[in-house]
Amino acid sequence: MGILDKCFDLYGPLSDSNKAALEAMLTQPDIRLWQKAQRIVISPTPLLTLGMAVGRVSAQRRLEIPDTFTVYRACRYAIEKRERFEARPIAYDIES
C-alpha cells in the first residue's frame, strides 16, 4: 500500500484524478501541476489540503513549487494527523 492510498478526501479514498496529480507531484512537480495539486484535500479530519500540509512541514513560501521529498513529508504528516485525530477518545457529557 503506497502513501497515497492512505490519503483521504472528504468522501473517502482519493479519486483517480487526484491520486494521479499527487503521483505526478511526487515524480516531476511543475508550476501548473502545483497550482492544481495544492488544493487537493488529503486529510478530512483535521481538514488538510496538500498546500496546507506542505506549509506545515516546510518553511518555503506557498508560491514555490515543493520538491518531491517535501510533498512526501506533507502526505505523511496529513496521514499521521488523521490517524491521531481518529484515535482520540470521544468524551461524552452524560450529566447535562
Side-chain angles (χ1 to χ4, degrees):
M1 176 182 269
I3 192 163
L4 297 181
D5 293 327
K6 296 179 182 178
C7 292
F8 291 88
D9 64 17
L10 296 174
Y11 306 104
L14 295 175
S15 67
D16 291 338
S17 62
N18 283 346
K19 190 183 274 191
L22 293 175
E23 285 173 353
M25 282 298 297
L26 287 169
T27 56
Q28 294 183 342
D30 65 45
I31 188 65
R32 298 188 86 192
L33 184 56
W34 173 237
Q35 289 171 341
K36 175 187 176 189
Q38 69 180 335
R39 293 176 178 87
I40 296 173
V41 173
I42 58 174
S43 172
T45 52
L47 182 67
L48 288 171
T49 63
L50 179 61
M52 293 165 68
V54 165
R56 302 263 177 28
V57 300
S58 174
Q60 74 184 38
R61 294 184 9 196
R62 235 182 161 160
L63 300 176
E64 296 175 17
I65 304 168
D67 59 33
T68 57
F69 182 65
T70 301
V71 173
Y72 179 87
R73 287 188 316 141
C75 290
R76 186 79 231 141
Y77 171 83
I79 292 165
E80 290 172 358
K81 278 295 243 192
R82 189 191 82 244
E83 289 172 349
R84 280 194 305 258
F85 186 86
E86 291 174 350
R88 292 185 332 182
I90 299 173
Y92 294 99
D93 187 11
I94 299 174
E95 298 182 27
S96 295

XYZ file of all heavy atoms in Angstrom:
768
model
N 0.850 -1.179 0.000
C 0.000 0.000 0.000
C 0.892 1.237 0.000
O 1.721 1.421 0.871
C -0.908 -0.018 1.222
C -1.768 1.216 1.353
S -2.797 1.225 2.826
C -4.262 0.477 2.200
N 0.727 2.090 -1.001
C 1.516 3.299 -1.102
C 0.985 4.402 -0.204
O -0.113 4.309 0.349
N 1.768 5.430 -0.071
C 1.386 6.535 0.810
C 0.103 7.210 0.337
O -0.719 7.622 1.157
C 2.545 7.549 0.955
C 2.230 8.515 2.093
C 2.800 8.290 -0.341
C 3.407 9.276 2.584
N -0.116 7.303 -0.964
C -1.321 7.971 -1.457
C -2.582 7.150 -1.210
O -3.677 7.705 -1.173
C -1.165 8.293 -2.941
C -0.031 9.267 -3.266
C 0.030 9.532 -4.752
C -0.164 10.556 -2.481
N -2.423 5.851 -1.004
C -3.580 5.022 -0.666
C -4.075 5.302 0.747
O -5.198 4.957 1.098
C -3.235 3.533 -0.801
C -2.967 3.140 -2.245
O -3.605 3.728 -3.148
O -2.128 2.253 -2.465
N -3.229 5.917 1.554
C -3.605 6.250 2.929
C -4.153 7.668 3.053
O -4.583 8.068 4.125
C -2.402 6.086 3.854
C -1.907 4.658 3.934
C -0.700 4.579 4.837
C -0.145 3.171 4.890
N 1.047 3.102 5.733
N -4.113 8.444 1.967
C -4.671 9.799 1.969
C -6.149 9.731 1.610
O -6.545 8.938 0.748
C -3.938 10.685 0.958
S -2.238 11.055 1.395
N -6.949 10.556 2.254
C -8.386 10.580 2.018
C -8.850 12.009 1.801
O -8.281 12.941 2.362
C -9.140 9.995 3.224
C -8.935 8.527 3.403
C -7.868 8.049 4.141
C -9.806 7.623 2.834
C -7.673 6.693 4.300
C -9.621 6.258 2.995
C -8.550 5.797 3.740
N -9.907 12.158 0.999
C -10.545 13.467 0.879
C -11.820 13.446 1.717
O -11.994 12.570 2.560
C -10.798 13.843 -0.587
C -11.769 12.921 -1.302
O -12.518 12.173 -0.638
O -11.804 12.957 -2.543
N -12.712 14.359 1.488
C -13.923 14.463 2.310
C -14.873 13.288 2.132
O -15.726 13.036 2.977
C -14.659 15.762 1.986
C -13.893 17.040 2.316
C -14.660 18.250 1.810
C -13.629 17.144 3.799
N -14.730 12.550 1.042
C -15.666 11.479 0.727
C -15.060 10.085 0.812
O -15.724 9.105 0.512
C -16.262 11.701 -0.668
C -16.876 13.063 -0.795
C -16.232 14.077 -1.491
C -18.080 13.353 -0.168
C -16.792 15.347 -1.585
C -18.640 14.618 -0.255
C -17.997 15.600 -0.964
O -18.551 16.860 -1.043
N -13.814 9.965 1.178
C -13.160 8.666 1.276
C -11.844 8.657 0.523
O -11.162 9.684 0.456
N -11.478 7.511 -0.049
C -10.213 7.439 -0.791
C -10.157 8.469 -1.924
O -11.180 8.860 -2.474
C -10.225 6.013 -1.363
C -11.142 5.254 -0.467
C -12.181 6.238 -0.018
N -8.943 8.885 -2.247
C -8.762 9.893 -3.296
C -9.283 9.380 -4.636
O -9.176 8.196 -4.949
C -7.287 10.239 -3.443
C -6.617 10.911 -2.255
C -5.129 11.071 -2.526
C -7.253 12.242 -1.940
N -9.824 10.294 -5.421
C -10.262 9.939 -6.771
C -9.034 9.621 -7.618
O -7.909 10.004 -7.283
C -11.037 11.098 -7.403
O -10.174 12.195 -7.632
N -9.255 8.932 -8.714
C -8.149 8.570 -9.599
C -7.429 9.804 -10.129
O -6.202 9.825 -10.222
C -8.647 7.709 -10.759
C -9.088 6.328 -10.302
O -8.654 5.873 -9.215
O -9.864 5.688 -11.037
N -8.186 10.854 -10.450
C -7.547 12.062 -10.995
C -6.718 12.789 -9.937
O -5.623 13.265 -10.225
C -8.591 13.000 -11.603
O -9.502 13.438 -10.613
N -7.230 12.857 -8.714
C -6.456 13.493 -7.645
C -5.227 12.669 -7.290
O -4.145 13.213 -7.050
C -7.318 13.716 -6.408
C -8.255 14.887 -6.558
O -8.103 15.698 -7.470
N -9.223 14.992 -5.685
N -5.385 11.360 -7.259
C -4.241 10.491 -6.973
C -3.189 10.636 -8.070
O -1.988 10.705 -7.783
C -4.692 9.041 -6.854
C -3.588 8.136 -6.333
C -4.039 6.699 -6.289
C -4.759 6.417 -5.000
N -4.978 4.970 -4.806
N -3.612 10.729 -9.329
C -2.669 10.901 -10.437
C -1.921 12.228 -10.322
O -0.710 12.294 -10.584
C -3.402 10.813 -11.773
N -2.625 13.280 -9.929
C -1.969 14.585 -9.755
C -0.933 14.523 -8.631
O 0.168 15.069 -8.764
C -3.006 15.662 -9.467
N -1.270 13.859 -7.540
C -0.318 13.741 -6.433
C 0.865 12.852 -6.809
O 2.007 13.148 -6.431
C -1.022 13.208 -5.184
C -2.050 14.153 -4.567
C -2.763 13.478 -3.409
C -1.405 15.440 -4.116
N 0.612 11.785 -7.556
C 1.713 10.939 -8.024
C 2.654 11.737 -8.920
O 3.875 11.594 -8.833
C 1.172 9.726 -8.774
C 0.574 8.677 -7.864
C -0.121 7.554 -8.610
O -0.276 7.627 -9.859
O -0.526 6.592 -7.937
N 2.090 12.593 -9.754
C 2.923 13.438 -10.611
C 3.738 14.425 -9.774
O 4.899 14.701 -10.091
C 2.061 14.176 -11.626
N 3.150 14.944 -8.697
C 3.899 15.843 -7.812
C 5.031 15.100 -7.119
O 6.042 15.704 -6.774
C 2.975 16.460 -6.752
C 2.111 17.586 -7.236
S 3.036 19.031 -7.837
C 3.907 19.564 -6.378
N 4.870 13.805 -6.907
C 5.923 13.004 -6.282
C 7.019 12.604 -7.258
O 8.083 12.162 -6.842
C 5.325 11.747 -5.641
C 4.532 11.984 -4.354
C 3.768 10.729 -3.964
C 5.445 12.435 -3.229
N 6.772 12.754 -8.556
C 7.782 12.362 -9.536
C 8.379 13.557 -10.271
O 9.595 13.702 -10.326
C 7.220 11.356 -10.553
O 6.063 11.902 -11.177
C 6.861 10.039 -9.878
N 7.513 14.401 -10.857
C 8.003 15.547 -11.614
C 7.112 16.767 -11.376
O 6.258 17.087 -12.204
C 8.041 15.230 -13.098
C 9.043 14.171 -13.455
C 9.093 13.940 -14.939
O 8.191 14.311 -15.680
N 10.163 13.321 -15.398
N 7.306 17.443 -10.255
C 6.459 18.607 -9.975
C 6.749 19.769 -10.929
O 7.881 19.961 -11.357
C 6.827 18.978 -8.540
C 8.166 18.390 -8.309
C 8.277 17.191 -9.205
N 5.708 20.498 -11.295
C 5.870 21.732 -12.061
C 4.820 22.730 -11.587
O 3.927 22.383 -10.820
C 5.795 21.484 -13.577
C 4.432 21.002 -14.049
O 3.403 21.570 -13.629
O 4.393 20.057 -14.849
N 4.903 23.963 -12.037
C 4.067 25.040 -11.514
C 2.586 24.820 -11.811
O 1.740 25.049 -10.962
C 4.543 26.432 -11.999
C 3.788 27.553 -11.276
C 4.383 26.573 -13.492
C 4.035 27.641 -9.807
N 2.246 24.384 -13.006
C 0.826 24.179 -13.345
C 0.224 23.052 -12.510
O -0.894 23.150 -12.039
C 0.665 23.895 -14.830
C 1.137 25.085 -15.677
C 0.806 24.895 -17.093
N -0.578 25.397 -17.221
C -1.330 25.205 -18.262
N -0.897 24.515 -19.271
N -2.537 25.710 -18.304
N 0.983 22.003 -12.339
C 0.529 20.878 -11.524
C 0.391 21.301 -10.063
O -0.578 20.955 -9.395
C 1.510 19.714 -11.659
C 1.153 18.431 -10.945
C -0.218 17.926 -11.388
C 2.216 17.383 -11.215
N 1.351 22.068 -9.555
C 1.295 22.535 -8.171
C 0.070 23.414 -7.943
O -0.584 23.317 -6.908
C 2.579 23.270 -7.812
C 2.549 23.929 -6.460
C 2.756 25.254 -6.204
C 2.308 23.316 -5.194
N 2.652 25.490 -4.863
C 2.376 24.311 -4.215
C 2.026 22.016 -4.790
C 2.186 24.065 -2.859
C 1.831 21.763 -3.435
C 1.905 22.779 -2.493
N -0.269 24.258 -8.901
C -1.445 25.111 -8.754
C -2.716 24.287 -8.585
O -3.629 24.690 -7.881
C -1.569 26.054 -9.947
C -0.507 27.122 -9.950
C -0.483 27.934 -11.230
O -1.008 27.529 -12.267
N 0.157 29.092 -11.163
N -2.778 23.137 -9.212
C -3.935 22.251 -9.062
C -3.823 21.403 -7.792
O -4.761 21.308 -7.009
C -4.058 21.337 -10.278
C -5.165 20.321 -10.131
C -5.185 19.316 -11.263
C -6.264 18.283 -10.999
N -6.200 17.174 -11.926
N -2.672 20.782 -7.606
C -2.496 19.804 -6.537
C -2.556 20.412 -5.139
O -2.983 19.744 -4.200
C -1.179 19.063 -6.724
N -2.161 21.668 -4.983
C -2.147 22.249 -3.639
C -3.537 22.372 -3.041
O -3.686 22.484 -1.832
C -1.439 23.593 -3.641
C -2.178 24.697 -4.363
C -1.407 25.991 -4.315
O -0.595 26.211 -3.411
N -1.638 26.854 -5.280
N -4.571 22.285 -3.853
C -5.949 22.407 -3.368
C -6.602 21.054 -3.057
O -7.719 20.994 -2.575
C -6.788 23.143 -4.397
C -6.373 24.589 -4.557
C -7.173 25.278 -5.660
N -6.818 26.660 -5.780
C -5.817 27.120 -6.523
N -5.081 26.289 -7.217
N -5.563 28.414 -6.583
N -5.903 19.978 -3.325
C -6.459 18.641 -3.105
C -6.487 18.342 -1.608
O -5.479 18.472 -0.912
C -5.631 17.571 -3.841
C -5.715 17.796 -5.356
C -6.101 16.163 -3.471
C -4.800 16.889 -6.159
N -7.648 17.931 -1.115
C -7.785 17.544 0.288
C -7.128 16.178 0.457
O -7.457 15.228 -0.251
C -9.271 17.486 0.705
C -9.414 16.911 2.110
C -9.903 18.864 0.617
N -6.173 16.097 1.404
C -5.504 14.823 1.657
C -5.807 14.284 3.050
O -5.392 13.179 3.384
C -3.979 14.924 1.417
C -3.335 15.996 2.284
C -3.700 15.170 -0.053
C -1.810 16.028 2.191
N -6.534 15.052 3.857
C -6.989 14.589 5.162
C -8.304 15.282 5.481
O -8.360 16.507 5.523
C -5.963 14.911 6.250
O -6.502 14.622 7.527
N -9.363 14.494 5.740
C -10.651 15.110 6.052
C -10.772 15.567 7.511
O -11.504 16.495 7.806
C -11.656 14.002 5.741
C -10.900 12.739 5.959
C -9.469 13.047 5.586
N -10.070 14.883 8.413
C -10.129 15.231 9.833
C -8.749 15.145 10.451
O -8.235 14.038 10.578
C -11.063 14.277 10.608
O -10.671 12.940 10.329
C -12.504 14.492 10.267
N -8.118 16.199 10.820
C -8.491 17.575 10.540
C -8.314 17.881 9.054
O -7.490 17.265 8.386
C -7.514 18.390 11.377
C -6.321 17.508 11.518
C -6.840 16.100 11.531
N -9.088 18.816 8.582
C -9.087 19.157 7.161
C -7.730 19.732 6.768
O -7.289 20.745 7.313
C -10.186 20.168 6.846
C -10.300 20.562 5.382
C -10.753 19.368 4.561
C -11.265 21.703 5.204
N -7.070 19.045 5.829
C -5.776 19.491 5.318
C -5.730 19.294 3.814
O -6.025 18.209 3.318
C -4.625 18.686 5.932
C -4.269 18.942 7.380
C -3.273 17.897 7.868
C -3.677 20.332 7.538
N -5.359 20.345 3.113
C -5.062 20.216 1.691
C -3.568 19.962 1.558
O -2.805 20.130 2.530
C -5.424 21.497 0.916
O -4.598 22.566 1.407
C -6.898 21.839 1.058
N -3.139 19.586 0.364
C -1.710 19.384 0.153
C -0.951 20.678 0.442
O 0.084 20.666 1.092
C -1.426 18.899 -1.265
C 0.045 18.681 -1.596
C 0.660 17.619 -0.698
C 0.222 18.324 -3.057
N -1.476 21.804 -0.005
C -0.817 23.088 0.238
C -0.686 23.406 1.714
O 0.346 23.894 2.172
N -1.731 23.119 2.487
C -1.684 23.353 3.933
C -0.644 22.451 4.587
O 0.129 22.900 5.449
C -3.061 23.100 4.550
C -4.118 24.096 4.114
S -5.801 23.539 4.483
C -5.824 23.595 6.258
N -0.612 21.181 4.186
C 0.333 20.230 4.767
C 1.770 20.596 4.401
O 2.666 20.503 5.244
C 0.003 18.817 4.311
N 1.999 21.020 3.171
C 3.343 21.457 2.771
C 3.764 22.651 3.639
O 4.902 22.725 4.093
C 3.399 21.811 1.267
C 4.650 22.604 0.928
C 3.328 20.549 0.428
N 2.842 23.560 3.890
C 3.150 24.708 4.748
C 3.514 24.318 6.162
O 4.295 25.007 6.826
N 2.986 23.209 6.643
C 3.279 22.746 7.998
C 4.635 22.059 8.104
O 5.247 22.065 9.161
C 2.197 21.798 8.486
C 0.806 22.384 8.502
C 0.422 22.895 9.840
N -0.851 23.551 10.030
C -1.993 23.423 9.416
N -2.125 22.608 8.415
N -3.058 24.111 9.756
N 5.096 21.431 7.025
C 6.362 20.683 7.092
C 7.527 21.431 6.453
O 8.656 20.957 6.500
C 6.236 19.278 6.440
C 5.186 18.459 7.139
C 5.971 19.366 4.951
N 7.272 22.582 5.879
C 8.315 23.318 5.171
C 8.194 24.810 5.452
O 7.101 25.326 5.621
C 8.183 23.067 3.667
O 9.076 23.871 2.947
N 9.323 25.477 5.448
C 9.332 26.920 5.660
C 9.244 27.701 4.351
O 9.230 28.923 4.363
C 10.602 27.325 6.403
N 9.149 27.004 3.236
C 9.120 27.697 1.943
C 7.799 28.431 1.742
O 6.793 28.108 2.364
C 9.355 26.716 0.797
C 8.190 25.811 0.493
C 8.536 24.817 -0.591
O 9.644 24.317 -0.631
N 7.601 24.530 -1.442
N 7.839 29.412 0.869
C 6.628 30.183 0.575
C 5.673 29.356 -0.250
O 6.069 28.471 -0.986
C 7.018 31.455 -0.177
C 7.833 32.380 0.682
C 8.146 33.667 0.019
N 7.430 33.840 -1.227
C 7.720 34.710 -2.131
N 8.727 35.496 -1.955
N 7.011 34.818 -3.241
N 4.408 29.662 -0.141
C 3.380 28.871 -0.808
C 3.441 28.929 -2.326
O 2.981 28.023 -2.991
C 2.010 29.373 -0.365
C 1.231 28.250 0.182
C -0.096 28.678 0.581
N -0.870 27.453 0.644
C -1.954 27.324 1.278
N -2.435 28.333 1.910
N -2.597 26.199 1.292
N 4.000 29.980 -2.878
C 4.056 30.111 -4.324
C 5.152 29.256 -4.947
O 5.138 29.010 -6.140
C 4.258 31.578 -4.708
C 3.154 32.533 -4.245
C 3.522 33.962 -4.590
C 1.820 32.157 -4.871
N 6.111 28.815 -4.123
C 7.194 27.999 -4.630
C 6.724 26.557 -4.811
O 5.915 26.061 -4.042
C 8.373 28.022 -3.658
C 8.987 29.389 -3.490
C 10.069 29.406 -2.426
O 10.559 28.328 -2.052
O 10.404 30.499 -1.972
N 7.267 25.906 -5.812
C 6.935 24.503 -6.054
C 7.727 23.650 -5.064
O 8.949 23.735 -5.024
C 7.309 24.085 -7.488
C 6.639 24.996 -8.506
C 6.933 22.639 -7.738
C 7.183 24.837 -9.898
N 7.039 22.813 -4.267
C 7.786 21.964 -3.333
C 8.482 20.820 -4.061
O 8.015 20.364 -5.107
C 6.700 21.429 -2.401
C 5.454 21.467 -3.213
C 5.599 22.647 -4.134
N 9.595 20.378 -3.516
C 10.273 19.233 -4.116
C 9.528 17.951 -3.746
O 8.621 17.958 -2.923
C 11.740 19.177 -3.685
C 11.911 19.069 -2.181
O 11.059 18.446 -1.512
O 12.899 19.605 -1.663
N 9.911 16.862 -4.357
C 9.191 15.605 -4.153
C 9.274 15.126 -2.705
O 8.301 14.595 -2.179
C 9.713 14.505 -5.093
O 11.101 14.325 -4.898
C 9.455 14.870 -6.539
N 10.410 15.330 -2.054
C 10.545 14.908 -0.666
C 9.607 15.693 0.239
O 8.992 15.142 1.151
C 11.995 15.040 -0.193
C 12.202 14.567 1.212
C 12.030 13.231 1.539
C 12.554 15.450 2.213
C 12.209 12.783 2.838
C 12.738 15.016 3.514
C 12.568 13.675 3.831
N 9.440 16.981 -0.020
C 8.527 17.805 0.775
C 7.085 17.357 0.563
O 6.302 17.300 1.515
C 8.697 19.294 0.422
O 10.062 19.662 0.676
C 7.778 20.168 1.234
N 6.713 17.017 -0.657
C 5.362 16.509 -0.923
C 5.142 15.205 -0.165
O 4.095 14.999 0.451
C 5.122 16.320 -2.440
C 3.796 15.636 -2.708
C 5.187 17.667 -3.160
N 6.132 14.328 -0.184
C 6.040 13.063 0.547
C 5.865 13.328 2.045
O 5.001 12.737 2.690
C 7.280 12.209 0.294
C 7.239 10.904 1.041
C 6.612 9.786 0.496
C 7.808 10.781 2.302
C 6.564 8.588 1.183
C 7.759 9.595 3.006
C 7.133 8.498 2.440
O 7.072 7.317 3.140
N 6.692 14.218 2.597
C 6.583 14.539 4.033
C 5.225 15.133 4.357
O 4.655 14.860 5.413
C 7.693 15.512 4.455
C 9.046 14.884 4.529
C 10.093 15.802 5.133
N 9.996 17.149 4.593
C 10.167 18.258 5.295
N 10.451 18.211 6.567
N 10.082 19.433 4.728
N 4.688 15.962 3.476
C 3.375 16.571 3.699
C 2.286 15.503 3.731
O 1.384 15.551 4.589
C 3.085 17.604 2.617
N 2.353 14.547 2.831
C 1.367 13.452 2.835
C 1.495 12.633 4.109
O 0.491 12.290 4.735
C 1.557 12.565 1.606
S 1.095 13.349 0.053
N 2.710 12.328 4.502
C 2.945 11.561 5.731
C 2.398 12.333 6.942
O 1.774 11.759 7.830
C 4.448 11.312 5.867
C 4.842 10.435 6.980
C 4.614 8.961 6.628
N 3.864 8.408 7.727
C 2.882 7.532 7.642
N 2.524 7.053 6.497
N 2.261 7.098 8.691
N 2.650 13.642 6.974
C 2.151 14.490 8.059
C 0.620 14.428 8.137
O 0.049 14.255 9.215
C 2.612 15.932 7.836
C 1.989 16.935 8.755
C 2.500 17.141 10.030
C 0.881 17.694 8.361
C 1.924 18.067 10.883
C 0.301 18.607 9.212
C 0.828 18.799 10.473
O 0.251 19.705 11.319
N -0.048 14.545 6.997
C -1.511 14.522 6.967
C -2.055 13.172 7.429
O -3.046 13.114 8.168
C -2.010 14.846 5.558
N -1.403 12.103 7.013
C -1.838 10.760 7.424
C -1.699 10.601 8.934
O -2.613 10.123 9.613
C -1.027 9.683 6.677
C -1.382 9.690 5.193
C -1.253 8.302 7.281
C -0.401 8.932 4.327
N -0.568 11.011 9.473
C -0.345 10.885 10.915
C -1.316 11.744 11.708
O -1.830 11.314 12.751
C 1.100 11.239 11.251
C 2.085 10.197 10.756
C 3.530 10.610 10.898
O 3.806 11.749 11.359
O 4.410 9.809 10.540
N -1.586 12.958 11.231
C -2.556 13.836 11.917
C -3.931 13.190 11.939
O -4.619 13.194 12.963
C -2.657 15.196 11.226
C -1.595 16.166 11.588
C -1.686 16.540 13.023
C -1.981 17.999 13.185
N -1.806 18.448 14.548
N -4.365 12.635 10.792
C -5.677 11.999 10.723
C -5.747 10.785 11.651
O -6.717 10.611 12.381
C -6.002 11.570 9.297
C -7.456 11.105 9.148
C -7.750 10.420 7.828
N -7.317 9.032 7.933
C -6.352 8.482 7.222
N -5.711 9.165 6.321
N -6.028 7.227 7.385
N -4.717 9.965 11.636
C -4.706 8.778 12.484
C -4.757 9.144 13.963
O -5.473 8.510 14.737
C -3.483 7.908 12.178
C -3.587 7.219 10.826
C -2.325 6.507 10.407
O -1.262 6.702 11.057
O -2.385 5.750 9.424
N -4.015 10.180 14.375
C -4.071 10.631 15.776
C -5.435 11.197 16.111
O -5.973 10.961 17.191
C -2.978 11.665 16.040
C -1.621 11.047 16.263
C -0.650 12.046 16.851
N -0.540 13.248 16.038
C 0.459 13.502 15.209
N 1.437 12.647 15.082
N 0.486 14.610 14.506
N -6.011 11.950 15.183
C -7.332 12.538 15.407
C -8.384 11.446 15.578
O -9.224 11.511 16.472
C -7.704 13.456 14.240
C -8.983 14.210 14.439
C -8.996 15.420 15.104
C -10.177 13.696 13.969
C -10.175 16.117 15.284
C -11.369 14.376 14.149
C -11.366 15.595 14.809
N -8.337 10.436 14.722
C -9.321 9.364 14.780
C -9.134 8.463 15.994
O -10.081 7.812 16.430
C -9.272 8.536 13.495
C -9.784 9.306 12.291
C -9.620 8.567 10.978
O -8.927 7.521 10.945
O -10.179 9.052 9.982
N -7.926 8.419 16.552
C -7.648 7.573 17.715
C -8.028 8.239 19.041
O -8.036 7.573 20.070
C -6.171 7.196 17.737
N -8.340 9.525 18.997
C -8.704 10.229 20.235
C -9.984 9.646 20.813
O -10.930 9.354 20.081
C -8.950 11.710 19.980
C -7.752 12.490 19.608
C -8.045 13.950 19.479
N -9.442 14.189 19.108
C -9.964 15.371 18.883
N -9.226 16.426 18.982
N -11.222 15.511 18.551
N -10.021 9.514 22.139
C -11.283 9.054 22.741
C -12.329 10.162 22.664
O -12.019 11.347 22.722
C -10.901 8.763 24.187
C -9.644 9.540 24.438
C -8.968 9.699 23.095
N -13.554 9.758 22.508
C -14.662 10.714 22.449
C -15.192 10.899 23.859
O -15.544 9.935 24.541
C -15.766 10.217 21.517
C -15.220 10.062 20.105
C -16.964 11.158 21.546
C -16.187 9.426 19.129
N -15.242 12.137 24.313
C -15.751 12.428 25.665
C -17.225 12.803 25.568
O -17.623 13.643 24.782
C -14.961 13.581 26.269
N -18.014 12.122 26.349
C -19.450 12.397 26.387
C -19.786 13.058 27.704
O -19.351 12.631 28.770
C -20.270 11.115 26.260
C -20.124 10.447 24.928
C -19.273 9.371 24.736
C -20.845 10.900 23.845
C -19.147 8.761 23.499
C -20.744 10.301 22.591
C -19.885 9.235 22.446
O -19.778 8.635 21.228
N -20.591 14.095 27.636
C -21.044 14.783 28.836
C -22.425 14.233 29.182
O -23.439 14.733 28.704
C -21.084 16.295 28.609
C -21.398 17.059 29.884
O -21.367 16.440 30.950
O -21.633 18.271 29.781
N -22.470 13.195 29.999
C -23.710 12.490 30.298
C -24.567 13.255 31.314
O -25.774 13.146 31.313
C -23.401 11.069 30.821
C -22.665 10.321 29.736
C -24.651 10.334 31.234
C -22.166 8.962 30.128
N -23.969 14.059 32.152
C -24.698 14.728 33.212
C -25.436 15.975 32.755
O -26.092 16.618 33.561
C -23.741 15.069 34.353
C -23.137 13.822 34.967
C -22.229 14.164 36.118
O -22.425 15.209 36.752
O -21.315 13.372 36.384
N -25.388 16.338 31.537
C -26.041 17.570 31.057
C -27.537 17.411 30.982
O -28.143 16.505 30.612
C -25.534 17.960 29.684
O -24.180 18.291 29.781
